[in-house]
Amino acid sequence: MSTCAFWDRPREQPTEARYDVPALIVAATGDPRTPYRDSTALHGLLPGSRLLTLQGADRHALYGMYGNACVDDTVNAYLASGRLPQSDPTCSK
C-alpha cells in the first residue's frame, strides 16, 4: 500500500486543459525526474505545443537554473512575445 492511500481526497475536481493550448515544453534528454520520452509524449498530446530539447544534459530544472544560453534565450523570447518558436528547437549542452 502506498502513502497516497492515506491522503485526503482532493477538494476539487482535476483541472481539465484544452489540448490545443500553445505551450512551450522544456526538456533535457537525460532528465532524471521526467524521462525525455514522457516529454515527447506530452508534446504529442498537445498539438499546439513546441518541444524545446536540451541534448546531453542530465538535469531536471533547465530554464534560468542550468545556465544554457540557448534554452534561456528561447524561453525568454516566448515569455516576452507570447509566440512559440516556428518549430521544435534543439539546444546543445
Side-chain angles (χ1 to χ4, degrees):
M1 183 174 291
S2 73
T3 57
C4 299
F6 301 102
W7 289 1
D8 292 336
R9 291 199 175 273
R11 295 181 182 179
E12 59 187 46
Q13 293 296 318
T15 301
E16 290 188 30
R18 292 184 5 232
Y19 291 105
D20 62 343
V21 66
L24 181 61
I25 302 164
V26 182
T29 56
D31 187 331
R33 293 184 186 158
T34 305
Y36 186 68
R37 70 179 177 275
D38 291 351
S39 297
T40 59
L42 175 62
H43 179 43
L45 292 171
L46 301 173
S49 69
R50 293 290 182 267
L51 177 61
L52 170 58
T53 300
L54 180 57
Q55 291 282 350
D58 57 355
R59 175 77 185 256
H60 179 68
L62 298 175
Y63 172 65
M65 303 284 289
Y66 186 69
N68 183 282
C70 176
V71 169
D72 291 347
D73 291 348
T74 302
V75 175
N76 285 337
Y78 168 64
L79 293 174
S81 69
R83 290 186 304 272
L84 290 169
Q86 293 294 324
S87 60
D88 295 333
T90 299
C91 300
S92 298
K93 181 174 131 179

